[in-house]
Amino acid sequence: MKIEFGWSLDGASWADGGPRLGPRGLVRLLQARLGLTRPEVEPAVRVAQYQRRIAAADHPWLRASFAADPWATGSTVLSWRDAAVTAGARLEPTEGAPDRIAALCAVENAGPDLAPGAADDLRELVDALADEVTWPLGVDSLLCHEDPSSLPGLWPRLLQLLEASGVTLERPGAAEQAVRPELVLVEAEDEWTAAETAARLLAGRDGAPLQLLAGADTVLLDQELHRRGLPAVGVADSAAHRTALQILPLYLSLAVAPVDVQLLAAFLDLRVLDVPEDGRDQVGLVPSRARRVLLDALAQEPGTGGTAWQQAMAALEADDELSVSGLEMVRALSALVISPLAPEDLTPARVREVTAPLGTRLRALGQGDPSLTRASTHLQVLLEVLEEFEPTRVLRERELAQIVASAGGRAGSPFARPEATSRWRTCSRSAQLLPVGGDVLWWGADRDDAATGIAWDTAEAGALTRLGARILPPARLAALDTDAGLRGLHGAERIVVVRTRRRAEEPTAPHALLAHLAAGRAAPGQGVADVLEELTFSPAETLGAEGFALAGARREVTVPAPSRIAPLPSDLTRVVAPAPHLLPARLSYSQAEDLLGCRQKWTYKNGLQIRAASVASVPTGNRMIGTLVHAVVEQLVGSGERTPSAARIREEIETQVPRLASELLLPGREVELAGLRERAVRSLLEFFDRLGAAGLVITSVESRFEEPLVLHLQRGDVTVPFIGYRDVDAEDGEGRPTVIDLKWTYAARKYPELFEAGEALQLAAYAHSLHEEGTDVGYFLLSQGEFVSANPALDPHGRPTLDIEDLWSRGTAGMTEALDEIGAGRVDARSGQILLDAGQDLATPRSDAAKTYASARAAARAQGSLVVDARCDYCEFSLLCGMRGDVS
């Protein structure tokens, strides 16, 4: 067998007319011939083993670093050790060695065994051949691209031993040295234009042979090839952030207290398998039936272990349609987040225990699916790493994250799927090009700043040389790759480079090999940059009167008529076929607000049931805090305390935070939680004290009501239930009722202005549900600790009494009008239209928009109607109505 060997040929295809091997490929072949193969040990497992050696050696040069960051230290020092062994050093303690070399020697001869890696494979192979093994190698000749004496480390010795074993070493002859190729450079401003140009070149060729050198991923190029009926190249880098490698770290992030409820929602929503053929939902680690139930629970209570979560779990336990595997996963997840591990309990034994259900679920779902097989492997490697540690050793959270990242490695891209083609041969490194002449299309010829290996200083290099190493200067080592790349490029007759000046929003620079190619074309006194500039032209220059032409490729091109982005519509009203069936099954205040503020919003959200994903409904920010403080008030009142103390309020807040605002317990949010707690304590003390001083006694909180509401529509009367919850009901000494609505907001003027303008429709709805004359109503602003009320005992600002009947009458009239218009097929976006009519949009400062709405409210009030600000700037439907984005 004749083998072609090159320093940069690892990864080359065997289908190129014979075995073309790089260093790792040749070692594996010789291992197989000599019976030296063995199962590979994962790099993360070797790091764990090497950590034990470092601990056993306890070398003073490593001690402080190892104590501060054991995993990073172990990983770094192991890479030094492997580099030294590859260079040929036998790490034995020697007098006077530099600190780093002395530390490596001490660790090498201390403690437990270390599984062999690639460096040890090379050493073992050299030792085996040096023992004059007569086992037939099956290799007749080795065509070496490089002079063996120019190679680093043990490679000259290995090639010398192969020659002594009867393998003929050959070098490329003079006839095989190629001439200088023609060079054509096309530089685009963006990746899309570059992809279009390269695809036109490939589609416009007459079938002449071509090699495609993919120096960057071809995802965009593949899309353009598919548009032209050509197969995809399918080159895409592997990465550590693929979905398969996110499953384990996301799961483990939930295992350690405190639990991030947003990450819990992300895990519940994580889909791992697509099953579009039967119309079912995507398959997740958590079954879809359970996913929706648990996400709805988090939307009610953004924490774990609370009432909503327990009720959701009870419902799932009674669900006979859940699979056994799915239910077990749900149970394990619930137990995990309700009782997460404390940091001091994070041991290898506990990690193995909490990840066991995940492994079972992955195996149940996997059944050969590559992505889940990769996730299962990730977990298995982690467990193998943990086997190297003492079961009771406490792992730091950062260390566990490092181990998980190392255990995962990199996963392939779903776009790395080349399609069968005989049109061109593809490779990813210029050294892998075949010297067959013809054209080479170099896609993405950007500068590659890859590391060139471990750097040793002069003293360290001398010490390693005395230990048997062969250390090349960094420049000579880099030259090996450069020479190999140029050798491959010089085997072509013409090189067409298509690259982009920016990639992933970052500027790029031409590949260093282009400078070498240009240097041979420079006239006296001319710089390389000038030569490259002369050879470079833009994609626009490839288009002429007869279409596209580049490097012998031609293709007809049709230029479409220019299009313009449509301006923002002046009228947001949609006119469609009548829709009398769009009626609410029941109404709440939030629905009423949508009907009055934006009929399109109600139609999309309630009439057509278009909703945001459940994972997006998990509360955060003001909404989460408001829910928390509401619950605190409910619990304080329920316990019968009329004037709770500051200590009692603080205690109740601490109790409710894990259930309703668990994200405030995350590291780094201690100041935020402390500030919130003290603000809420002061506010609630004021709330209870002011109520007591006014002679009001709270009778109930979160009181549900459901009242029939008759709407006199044009198509006939319709009765719908109007439902809701009153935050706080109270009575004075004479039994007169008061309704207080609690609000957590930093917009201190919003609710006072609504109250004073007589447009606090929510208060009118709550008062109307009591059916008692003389009902007093008001807001309590939890963040500010202030009442907004006409009762001077609660609010000394002298605000006018809210006309509840008039306001409720205007509100029901507005709802009736809105449903009539929707039924007739005329659906407007009233809040957005108010802005547009005033020459404003979503970019208008909020203070200016507020003045516009205030004027609109005053005009509507004079006509006996209502205007509600639907907050278009926060609306999730603003793309559909045309207020946001490109509506063309």
Side-chain angles (χ1 to χ4, degrees):
M1 177 171 60
K2 181 176 181 178
I3 293 176
E4 189 175 343
F5 171 74
W7 187 249
S8 300
L9 283 184
D10 274 328
S13 173
W14 275 56
D16 292 333
R20 308 178 75 225
L21 302 179
R24 189 59 184 156
L26 182 58
V27 167
R28 287 176 174 170
L29 175 66
L30 294 175
Q31 281 182 307
R33 296 295 186 182
L34 295 174
L36 299 177
T37 57
R38 54 178 162 247
E40 289 193 22
V41 178
E42 290 288 338
V45 176
R46 296 185 72 237
V47 173
Q49 295 172 346
Y50 202 67
Q51 276 189 315
R52 295 167 60 190
R53 280 196 175 189
I54 295 175
D58 193 28
H59 192 276
W61 192 76
L62 295 172
R63 191 176 296 143
S65 176
F66 187 69
D69 194 339
W71 187 263
T73 302
S75 178
T76 301
V77 179
L78 178 58
S79 69
W80 296 343
R81 178 263 178 199
D82 285 347
V85 172
T86 301
R90 296 187 184 273
L91 297 173
E92 299 292 341
T94 56
E95 293 292 333
D99 289 339
R100 179 159 59 157
I101 306 303
L104 290 176
C105 293
V107 175
E108 186 71 11
N109 294 276
D113 292 337
L114 174 67
D120 303 281
D121 291 342
L122 179 59
R123 163 61 71 186
E124 182 182 36
L125 194 56
V126 170
D127 291 343
L129 290 172
D131 288 340
E132 298 182 359
V133 174
T134 57
W135 193 276
L137 297 177
V139 179
D140 301 317
S141 65
L142 200 65
L143 178 63
C144 299
H145 285 191
E146 292 84 12
D147 183 348
S149 64
S150 68
L151 300 180
L154 291 170
W155 282 97
R157 176 62 175 158
L158 174 63
L159 296 177
Q160 180 185 17
L161 290 171
L162 287 176
E163 188 173 28
S165 301
V167 177
T168 302
L169 297 187
E170 301 176 0
R171 290 297 311 284
E176 298 178 59
Q177 299 297 330
V179 297
R180 185 178 70 183
E182 178 187 349
L183 184 59
V184 179
L185 284 85
V186 180
E187 280 194 353
E189 290 295 333
D190 56 73
E191 296 173 76
W192 294 268
T193 306
E196 191 172 49
T197 301
R200 285 171 176 165
L201 170 67
L202 293 173
R205 292 177 60 83
D206 58 2
L210 173 138
Q211 297 182 79
L212 198 157
L213 174 56
D217 71 70
T218 61
V219 176
L220 293 179
L221 174 58
D222 290 341
Q223 293 178 10
E224 293 296 328
L225 290 174
H226 279 165
R227 288 182 57 203
R228 293 161 176 82
L230 295 176
V233 178
V235 172
D237 292 335
S238 58
H241 57 261
R242 306 294 181 203
T243 301
L245 299 182
Q246 293 182 22
I247 293 173
L248 180 57
L250 182 56
Y251 182 83
L252 285 174
S253 69
L254 305 176
V256 183
V259 175
D260 187 337
V261 71
Q262 300 297 332
L263 290 182
L264 173 57
F267 185 84
L268 291 171
D269 196 57
L270 183 64
R271 322 298 170 89
V272 295
L273 287 176
D274 291 325
V275 283
E277 64 277 1
D278 58 5
R280 290 186 295 139
D281 196 2
Q282 291 174 308
V283 175
L285 292 173
V286 176
S288 59
R289 298 173 64 84
R291 177 194 317 147
R292 296 186 181 95
V293 172
L294 294 176
L295 284 172
D296 288 345
L298 290 180
Q300 296 177 51
E301 299 179 352
T304 58
T307 304
W309 184 271
Q310 298 292 355
Q311 290 174 346
M313 285 301 302
L316 294 175
E317 291 283 356
D319 190 343
D320 296 333
E321 296 189 26
L322 272 180
S323 66
V324 174
S325 169
L327 183 57
E328 288 299 324
M329 184 67 211
V330 170
R331 287 171 177 163
L333 180 64
S334 179
L336 185 69
V337 299
I338 290 176
S339 301
L341 299 177
E344 60 271 17
D345 295 331
L346 193 58
T347 63
R350 293 303 307 276
V351 172
R352 284 195 292 270
E353 178 184 334
V354 299
T355 55
L358 176 63
T360 302
R361 179 63 172 166
L362 287 172
R363 288 190 294 273
L365 289 177
Q367 303 298 320
D369 181 82
S371 62
L372 290 189
T373 300
R374 190 71 183 82
S376 295
T377 302
H378 189 186
L379 175 57
Q380 186 58 41
V381 173
L382 172 65
L383 298 179
E384 291 175 12
V385 171
L386 295 179
E387 288 292 338
E388 300 294 332
F389 298 147
E390 292 295 329
T392 56
R393 170 186 168 182
V394 177
L395 300 169
R396 305 171 192 172
E397 289 184 63
R398 181 171 182 268
E399 183 181 12
L400 179 59
Q402 291 172 314
I403 295 171
V404 171
S406 299
R410 300 171 70 87
S413 167
F415 295 106
R417 297 173 181 172
E419 296 171 348
T421 177
S422 59
R423 291 185 175 227
W424 50 77
R425 171 186 174 273
T426 302
C427 58
S428 58
R429 302 172 69 180
S430 55
Q432 299 168 357
L433 292 168
L434 293 176
V436 294
D439 289 351
V440 169
L441 170 59
W442 191 351
W443 165 257
D446 301 333
R447 187 174 65 196
D448 182 9
D449 295 327
T452 56
I454 303 299
W456 309 102
D457 63 29
T458 303
E460 291 171 338
L464 289 173
T465 300
R466 291 190 293 274
L467 292 171
R470 173 182 167 79
I471 306 292
L472 291 186
R476 286 182 59 189
L477 196 59
L480 289 173
D481 288 323
T482 300
D483 291 344
L486 287 174
R487 200 163 38 243
L489 291 170
H490 280 136
E493 296 174 0
R494 177 168 51 194
I495 301 170
V496 182
V497 177
V498 179
R499 61 177 303 272
T500 174
R501 293 189 177 91
R502 297 182 68 84
R503 182 176 293 273
E505 301 300 325
E506 295 292 336
T508 65
H511 198 284
L513 291 181
L514 292 177
H516 287 276
L517 293 172
R521 295 167 170 77
Q526 187 179 27
V528 169
D530 296 330
V531 175
L532 289 177
E533 186 176 354
E534 288 180 359
L535 296 172
T536 301
F537 53 94
S538 69
E541 294 177 79
T542 66
L543 300 175
E546 298 181 358
F548 172 84
L550 175 65
R554 298 187 178 279
R555 185 172 176 83
E556 293 184 4
V557 175
T558 302
V559 180
S563 60
R564 297 181 180 274
I565 296 177
L568 195 67
S570 58
D571 187 356
L572 300 179
T573 302
R574 301 291 176 89
V575 179
V576 296
H581 60 287
L582 292 182
L583 287 172
R586 56 184 180 176
L587 270 174
S588 62
Y589 170 71
S590 61
Q591 282 200 54
E593 192 175 48
D594 290 342
L595 281 171
L596 294 169
C598 181
R599 295 163 188 175
Q600 280 193 35
K601 183 177 182 179
W602 182 90
T603 303
Y604 293 138
K605 184 177 179 181
N606 300 100
L608 302 179
Q609 297 293 306
I610 299 175
R611 303 291 178 89
S614 297
V615 69
S617 302
V618 179
T620 188
N622 281 358
R623 182 179 163 207
M624 174 190 71
I625 296 172
T627 302
L628 167 67
V629 183
H630 273 68
V632 170
V633 173
E634 184 177 1
Q635 293 299 317
L636 292 173
V637 173
S639 65
E641 300 180 62
R642 295 185 59 179
T643 55
S645 64
R648 176 70 183 93
I649 296 173
R650 193 173 288 109
E651 175 190 356
E652 191 59 42
I653 292 173
E654 298 291 346
T655 300
Q656 297 299 327
V657 163
R659 182 170 71 91
L660 294 169
S662 63
E663 67 178 65
L664 296 176
L665 298 173
L666 295 175
R669 303 190 68 170
E670 294 86 356
V671 173
E672 181 183 356
L673 176 58
L676 164 67
R677 181 172 53 240
E678 295 311 309
R679 175 178 288 194
V681 168
R682 290 195 299 269
S683 178
L684 293 183
L685 283 174
E686 178 71 12
F687 174 72
F688 286 107
D689 289 347
R690 190 67 66 86
L691 284 176
L696 294 173
V697 177
I698 296 177
T699 57
S700 64
V701 292
E702 292 297 316
S703 303
R704 186 182 187 280
F705 63 86
E706 180 173 332
E707 297 291 324
L709 175 62
V710 180
L711 300 174
H712 303 290
L713 303 180
Q714 293 176 358
R715 72 201 83 163
D717 290 354
V718 173
T719 301
V720 296
F722 191 88
I723 62 173
Y725 290 85
R726 296 186 298 270
D727 286 351
V728 177
D729 289 346
E731 289 183 355
D732 61 13
E734 299 179 1
R736 285 191 295 269
T738 296
V739 178
I740 303 295
D741 193 49
L742 306 177
K743 297 292 183 186
W744 182 279
T745 178
Y746 295 116
R749 291 301 306 158
K750 175 182 177 180
Y751 293 101
E753 288 174 356
L754 280 176
F755 191 92
E756 292 170 5
E759 300 203 351
L761 181 61
Q762 188 172 14
L763 296 180
Y766 293 167
H768 188 267
S769 67
L770 288 174
H771 299 288
E772 294 190 33
E773 292 187 8
T775 299
D776 193 13
V777 293
Y779 294 113
F780 182 73
L781 307 182
L782 292 163
S783 180
Q784 293 77 21
E786 296 179 0
F787 279 94
V788 177
S789 171
N791 185 345
L794 295 176
D795 182 356
H797 290 89
R799 305 188 198 274
T801 301
L802 188 67
D803 189 339
I804 292 173
E805 291 305 319
D806 173 70
L807 180 55
W808 182 243
S809 175
R810 286 189 287 143
T812 53
M815 287 183 270
T816 301
E817 180 186 353
L819 290 173
D820 278 333
E821 289 289 292
I822 292 171
R826 182 179 174 82
V827 189
D828 64 17
R830 191 177 186 186
S831 283
Q833 195 66 55
I834 289 172
L835 286 179
L836 293 185
D837 291 345
Q840 299 174 338
D841 55 28
L842 297 185
T844 300
R846 184 60 198 167
S847 58
D848 295 339
K851 294 176 182 176
T852 298
Y853 285 119
S855 298
R857 277 198 298 268
R861 187 164 54 251
Q863 299 174 3
S865 62
L866 280 173
V867 164
V868 172
D869 178 3
R871 290 307 300 263
C872 298
D873 48 342
Y874 287 113
C875 181
E876 55 202 7
F877 301 105
S878 55
L879 275 172
L880 296 180
C881 76
M883 282 294 290
R884 189 190 308 273
D886 176 10
V887 296
S888 61

